[in-house]
Amino acid sequence: MTLGETMAKHMLCILPRWSARVFSVELNGASFYFGLSEQQQNDCGQHGDGVPSVFSAVDQKSHRFYSLLVSSMDRIQRARFHSQLRDKLLRDLPTECNVSPMCSFLPNVQGSVISGYLVKDSSERGSLTEKLLRDYAQHDPVLVCSYSPAEDSQGWTQHLWSSEEKEYNVVSIEEPTYHPSTLNIINSDVFYCVEEASDVLKKCGDIIPEASSVLELLHRHKVKSRDKTDFPVIVIEGLDATGKTTLTESLRDTLGATLLRSPPHCLSQWRARFDQEPPLIRRAFYALGNYITAEQIQQEAMKAPVIVDRFWHSTAAYAIATAVSGPTCNLPEVGSELYVWPRDLPQPSLVILLSLDPEERKRRLRNRGQGKTNEEQELDHNQLFRLRVEEAYRRISGPACVTVDASPSADKVLQQVLLLIRAKCHL
Ligand SMILES: Nc1ncnc2c1ncn2[C@@H]1O[C@H](COP(=O)(O)OP(=O)(O)OP(=O)(O)O)[C@@H](O)[C@H]1O
Ligand SMILES: Nc1ccn([C@H]2C[C@H](O)[C@@H](COP(=O)(O)O)O2)c(=O)n1
């Protein structure tokens, strides 16, 4: 079957429910929603005040809009093509084109999100953009639509560039209860069992040879059981530069404990490689790192207390905060299943979250003067992202984290944490 035939078959699955789908565009930090209607109504109530604001401003009528939704059937291919598509659009389109993240989804239906981009073209040479996007529609796994002012000039029409060339009225809709970015988190951004994360890495063995090495290590470090360990296991969490390294090393020395970290040292050589990959693959790598660390914890906690620098709280909190955009109210609600600890990952005895005023954190980062990962730079530049990570940390349950103010001196923070450990773990 050719790529075109495979895509046509896949599109047939989407199209029957096309008009039930909602479209969401992320523009200047806000989400805009619109829907589709198949009926041709002359009634201006169809559009009128209800024209979705992405299209509503008068001057927008001189622009051309296009949407591209990634429609490959294979989810690894879909994840990789989604991140390549943005680079491709920014490289190929005239500079007057603006590219914003968009997606289409069935309201409140888990796993229904199809991601893509909205292109707003303000260039004089509209034909160039159109020619380019027609070429994408033919050769790439994307479903392309264009938008034009409706004939009654009251609203907008969506033209689907499939073999059917169907048209729909663009209609305004109410904001859905759940932000679409929360709908595809399970086993795409956050993994709730080892099999789901391993499955992702198994499927990318052909394109990422390092994936097989990670799986081999995982096989050698299989978690044996979830039985209670002889000695307590204490996890230290927090944003970068909140003092985790400083504290975990002091705890190791004071308690005569073993210090472990997630991802474990044995994965360090592949971390940078997986950090370049889209969230599906990157998060699966970190999820598996937790299972390898869990096996090391089980071994070591038979002999002495164990201190762990980052564990599942970090994996889930960063993944959820990245998947969701905008303010913290877009996060999955408190008590959501998305915050629940994986059933096959042994739980630590205590999780401490170090919290620090953003200005002091920046000061410590400056003083330390090391290079930063993209996500660390994002924490610096994007205060909404930082708030989402911190809030997601606090919402994770079973075990929930105990927040400790990390602004006093390193010794005071150590004493405070020792008090908590002695109270909770009877050390
Ligand atoms: N309580 C404290 N008061 C003042 N400075 C501190 C304190 N704890 C740590 N620091 C300093 O802040 C900087 C960051 O600390 P540290 O490396 O321990 O943070 P971290 O959370 O492990 O960071 P990362 O996650 O990026 O590795 C270091 O220069 C450290 O010496
Ligand atoms: N168990 C873990 C540990 C780390 N991560 C991710 C989250 C951030 O992107 C980054 C922070 O790690 P650091 O730079 O402090 O080593 O790594 C994770 O997902 N799970």
Side-chain angles (χ1 to χ4, degrees), residues 81-156:
F81 186 69
H82 180 254
S83 60
Q84 285 161 11
L85 180 60
R86 188 167 177 275
D87 297 341
K88 203 166 138 97
L89 287 167
L90 294 177
R91 188 193 59 213
D92 295 350
L93 289 171
T95 47
E96 299 91 335
C97 286
N98 200 298
V99 178
S100 309
M102 91 174 278
C103 70
S104 160
F105 60 100
L106 294 167
N108 312 334
V109 176
Q110 291 283 347
S112 66
V113 179
I114 308 172
S115 301
Y117 300 96
L118 183 85
V119 174
K120 176 176 157 189
D121 180 10
S122 340
S123 69
E124 307 250 301
R125 305 161 295 156
S127 56
L128 186 71
T129 305
E130 179 141 349
K131 186 169 170 294
L132 194 85
L133 297 184
R134 289 232 173 248
D135 190 59
Y136 283 17
Q138 264 192 345
H139 299 106
D140 291 314
V142 283
L143 192 58
V144 183
C145 296
S146 58
Y147 300 82
S148 61
E151 276 170 21
D152 62 6
S153 77
Q154 294 283 349
W156 286 75

Side-chain angles (χ1 to χ4, degrees), residues 182-362:
T182 64
L183 296 177
N184 273 21
I185 286 180
I186 298 179
N187 296 327
S188 285
D189 295 293
V190 184
F191 294 87
Y192 297 87
C193 65
V194 69
E195 284 84 12
E196 289 288 347
S198 310
D199 188 54
V200 171
L201 261 62
K202 272 182 205 148
K203 289 193 173 129
C204 24
D206 291 350
I207 40 174
I208 310 173
E210 294 85 348
S212 315
S213 313
V214 175
L215 289 169
E216 211 168 286
L217 264 175
L218 178 75
H219 192 69
R220 270 192 260 150
H221 290 268
K222 252 205 177 111
V223 175
K224 309 264 170 348
S225 71
R226 289 196 53 194
D227 289 350
K228 255 180 106 49
T229 49
D230 292 344
F231 287 88
V233 177
I234 298 121
V235 172
I236 307 298
E237 293 283 9
L239 303 181
D240 57 307
T242 47
K244 295 182 299 302
T245 307
T246 309
L247 175 65
T248 50
E249 288 176 355
S250 302
L251 286 171
R252 176 195 58 199
D253 299 342
T254 314
L255 298 172
T258 305
L259 176 54
L260 296 172
R261 68 186 323 266
S262 179
H265 288 298
C266 58
L267 290 188
S268 308
Q269 56 189 314
W270 300 304
R271 191 171 174 184
R273 174 71 186 83
F274 283 92
D275 275 345
Q276 295 164 13
E277 291 297 326
L280 174 70
I281 301 168
R282 175 160 191 250
R283 302 300 177 192
F285 168 80
Y286 281 100
L288 295 181
N290 289 331
Y291 286 93
I292 295 176
T293 298
E295 192 270 345
Q296 297 174 338
I297 293 173
Q298 281 185 331
Q299 297 293 326
E300 297 303 324
M302 302 213 292
K303 302 177 252 172
V306 174
I307 307 297
V308 192
D309 187 341
R310 290 200 193 272
F311 200 42
W312 195 75
H313 273 76
S314 279
T315 315
Y318 278 81
I320 293 172
T322 311
V324 173
S325 53
T328 52
C329 63
N330 286 347
L331 284 172
E333 68 211 320
V334 178
S336 156
E337 58 180 338
L338 301 178
Y339 299 116
V340 175
W341 193 269
R343 55 183 153 71
D344 57 355
L345 186 68
Q347 293 183 8
S349 326
L350 178 65
V351 181
I352 304 276
L353 173 66
L354 298 180
S355 81
L356 195 58
D357 165 74
E359 286 312 311
E360 170 62 9
R361 201 175 66 81
K362 270 193 202 159

Side-chain angles (χ1 to χ4, degrees), residues 7-27:
M7 278 163 47
K9 201 166 159 233
H10 182 57
M11 279 177 203
L12 285 177
C13 306
I14 302 173
L15 291 180
R17 302 199 68 189
W18 195 232
S19 53
R21 287 192 157 263
V22 167
F23 295 76
S24 158
V25 182
E26 298 296 315
L27 215 57

